[in-house]
Amino acid sequence: MDKTAFMHPDDIRTLFSSAMSDMYRKEVPQYGTLMELVREVNAETLAANPALKERLAASGEIGRLDVERHGAIRLGTPAELALIRRMFAVMGMYPVGYYDLSVAGIPVHSTAFRPLTESSLQYNPFRVFTSLLRLELIEDAGLAETAANILSRRQIVTGKAMELIEQAESNGGLSAEDAGPFVTEALETFRWHSEATVDKETYARLHDAHRLIADVVSFKGPHINHLTPRTLDIDAVQQRMPQRNITPKAVVEGPPRRSAPILLRQTSFKALEEGVLFIEEDQAGQAGSHTARFGEIEQRGVALTPKGRARYDDLLARTRAAVQIGPQGENAADYMAELEKQFAPFPDSFDELRQQGLAYFRYRAVPCKVPAGKSENPDTLIESGALIADPQTYEDFLPVSAAGIFQSNLGSDEQSNYDTTANQEAFEAALGAPVLDPMQLYAKTEADSLSAALRGLA
Ligand code: OOG
Ligand code: NI
């Protein structure tokens, strides 16, 4: 088949993320309210900030401000993870990063399926934070076996979706005629099913072991558990959520507010209690409820180098050691104050971050500004204006933040710290592929852009 006849994976991803957004707004109306609030705050921020508006317009980002940046799912078995990898590959999303959530007492490990290149990320940034349940971390071996049995009976990808995935793999892509049905079928995997696959008693046992286990094991598939638009002012949205009858989690996760934003700041609204029907032998289903689905917002800053990231991890650990957030969100204000205080010594301008090797940049050349006597030294070239360093946006996730989002939506804002039991090897074996190293992607973009810019100035 002629390759040009294929729909670009970036376009398939756009079809998919927009279908997912429509479905989720119908399933979780409060998410639609959050989106409205985000739109309102973004509009106000742009109106108050003409320079920001100009920058976003110049980079073509204004039109896409409202599209979702990410979603999240939780899978039950290694086979499911391998299948989902193949499904996302059709949409140009690949596994980047390994996140061990067991450090926060959550029995999963995760990756993010995301576009790899800057142009694909620009075109449509949608990615999916994907977790795999670790039954080996459940203490009750009998319950783990029950869970494994239940999971072994479900098929999360429809037959038609499977056919189209195989077709895309063997032909190297999907035509526009096939992409539509593929997206429709793929959506089925992530739909909410209010009928549980277990009886009430089994649900209760799973739930007692860990709420997350009940969420993963008791349903027909890995329902999308949140979507996340981008906000230009996360503190404003956090503060205004209650005015719209939305209950935010206690604190914004990640670094504090900064002049030169770093990494990723996130917050979410608490998961809603939803009606569920449990199966019962010889009688109609028994009504109950389940909480799992929520809405989140994010604000992204510059990607940090390993050196910058080590500083970040250290300052965050100090903050968390100094102030413990309680299950009802107690000490939230003290925590935010401590976070500001701890991060005060961390350089807060892009120039300093670059000069100290703490963050990743992308370089471009302005040949008419080459200084007299030419130079190959990036600092000299930057000073003269011949070389411009733009911050690279952090496109990944943060394990401690992710744990905080999980926690809050499992019913408690309480901070928890456990020993690490990371097992990237087992995760990759399940995935059927290695995960890519996010740091390598940023470093390559930086190095490639610098050599191209220097060539442009030579
Ligand atoms: C995933 C929580 C983590 C994020 O943005 O860090 C997450 C989940 O609750 O399944 O979405
Ligand atoms: Ni999220």
Side-chain angles (χ1 to χ4, degrees):
M1 191 173 184
D2 176 8
K3 214 172 154 67
T4 56
F6 291 141
M7 184 179 249
H8 196 287
D10 289 350
D11 288 316
I12 304 182
R13 184 170 65 260
T14 295
L15 284 181
F16 176 75
S17 67
S18 121
M20 192 88 122
S21 178
D22 289 345
M23 180 175 86
Y24 201 59
R25 258 174 299 159
K26 280 191 203 116
E27 288 182 352
V28 182
Q30 199 165 61
Y31 175 64
T33 310
L34 178 69
M35 283 192 92
E36 275 168 32
L37 175 58
V38 167
R39 220 170 286 139
E40 177 186 294
V41 168
N42 284 351
E44 283 173 26
T45 309
L46 289 174
N49 210 327
L52 175 67
K53 187 169 180 178
E54 216 166 276
R55 192 151 50 79
L56 291 176
S59 62
E61 284 185 68
I62 286 239
R64 280 191 304 273
L65 257 191
D66 292 336
V67 305
E68 274 87 358
R69 301 289 147 149
H70 81 259
I73 56 169
R74 303 160 183 167
L75 301 170
T77 67
E80 289 179 357
L81 181 64
L83 267 183
I84 287 295
R85 171 177 64 79
R86 293 168 64 194
M87 177 187 277
F88 284 146
V90 178
M91 309 177 214
M93 294 152 84
Y94 304 95
V96 178
Y98 172 76
Y99 304 93
D100 169 28
L101 279 302
S102 66
V103 282
I106 299 162
V108 303
H109 44 185
S110 320
T111 190
F113 288 94
R114 71 158 170 94
L116 298 181
T117 64
E118 286 185 287
S119 63
S120 289
L121 282 158
Q122 267 274 339
Y123 190 79
N124 184 305
F126 191 66
R127 63 211 95 183
V128 179
F129 190 90
T130 302
S131 302
L132 174 64
L133 182 61
R134 297 176 72 180
L135 287 176
E136 78 273 17
L137 298 184
I138 301 183
E139 272 166 35
D140 179 345
L143 186 65
E145 200 185 317
T146 304
N149 272 332
I150 297 166
L151 286 167
S152 73
R153 292 198 289 265
R154 75 180 189 183
Q155 176 54 264
I156 63 167
V157 177
T158 69
K160 177 79 185 158
M162 209 54 239
E163 264 173 41
L164 289 166
I165 291 168
E166 281 164 6
Q167 185 184 318
E169 286 172 344
S170 56
N171 296 350
L174 285 183
S175 68
E177 292 91 84
D178 288 331
F182 168 74
V183 165
T184 307
E185 292 290 324
L187 209 58
E188 289 306 308
T189 297
F190 307 104
R191 188 181 292 288
W192 171 246
H193 299 278
S194 55
E195 311 84 38
T197 55
V198 299
D199 58 39
K200 207 167 188 170
E201 192 246 310
T202 306
Y203 176 88
R205 280 174 58 216
L206 295 167
H207 192 275
D208 287 350
H210 200 294
R211 293 168 71 116
L212 181 94
I213 300 171
D215 182 56
V216 176
V217 175
S218 310
F219 298 92
K220 286 182 192 139
H223 39 263
I224 179 89
N225 68 49
H226 67 280
L227 288 178
T228 308
R230 167 187 184 185
T231 171
L232 298 175
D233 188 345
I234 198 165
D235 302 293
V237 180
Q238 169 87 351
Q239 199 197 335
R240 286 192 212 171
M241 276 195 229
Q243 293 167 15
R244 306 250 179 162
N245 292 322
I246 302 176
T247 312
K249 72 185 288 303
V251 295
V252 174
E253 296 289 345
R257 191 181 182 93
R258 320 223 83 202
S259 312
I262 56 169
L263 297 172
L264 170 64
R265 301 185 69 209
Q266 303 161 272
T267 185
S268 56
F269 68 71
K270 299 260 182 158
L272 306 173
E273 188 164 328
E274 300 176 271
V276 175
L277 275 183
F278 295 102
I279 53 167
E280 290 304 327
E281 260 175 59
D282 307 327
Q283 57 180 11
Q286 207 182 343
S289 70
H290 179 69
T291 46
R293 300 188 310 148
F294 58 99
E296 187 194 325
I297 49 171
E298 62 169 50
Q299 189 169 7
R300 289 182 183 267
V302 68
L304 297 186
T305 59
K307 181 178 164 196
R309 178 57 185 272
R311 290 274 290 276
Y312 168 82
D313 287 340
D314 177 53
L315 296 173
L316 186 69
R318 286 168 192 269
T319 308
R320 291 166 61 86
V323 183
Q324 284 272 335
I325 299 169
Q328 307 299 327
E330 299 89 339
N331 302 333
D334 289 349
Y335 176 88
M336 291 312 281
E338 181 69 23
L339 188 68
E340 294 270 351
K341 191 179 109 197
Q342 290 290 348
F343 275 79
F346 195 88
D348 195 16
S349 75
F350 290 123
D351 276 340
E352 285 170 286
L353 290 170
R354 185 182 50 77
Q355 282 154 1
Q356 297 182 31
L358 297 172
Y360 285 114
F361 291 81
R362 186 191 316 99
Y363 292 92
R364 57 196 158 97
V366 186
C368 63
K369 297 258 178 82
V370 172
K374 281 205 169 173
S375 170
E376 279 273 302
N377 181 328
D379 286 326
T380 315
L381 291 167
I382 284 174
E383 222 163 279
S384 75
L387 192 62
I388 292 179
D390 297 311
Q392 280 189 56
T393 302
Y394 186 60
E395 304 292 356
D396 295 286
F397 293 86
L398 297 166
V400 175
S401 298
I405 299 276
F406 261 109
Q407 284 305 354
S408 174
N409 285 293
L410 295 169
S412 166
D413 274 309
E414 188 168 19
Q415 177 182 318
S416 51
N417 309 300
Y418 288 77
D419 285 347
T420 165
T421 54
N423 192 344
Q424 183 166 343
E425 224 170 85
F427 188 83
E428 291 180 333
L431 187 64
V435 298
L436 297 162
D437 175 1
M439 295 288 186
Q440 272 179 21
L441 298 175
Y442 300 115
K444 183 167 176 359
T445 297
E446 181 170 280
D448 290 352
S449 67
L450 182 60
S451 42
L454 291 177
R455 271 198 309 278
L457 294 174

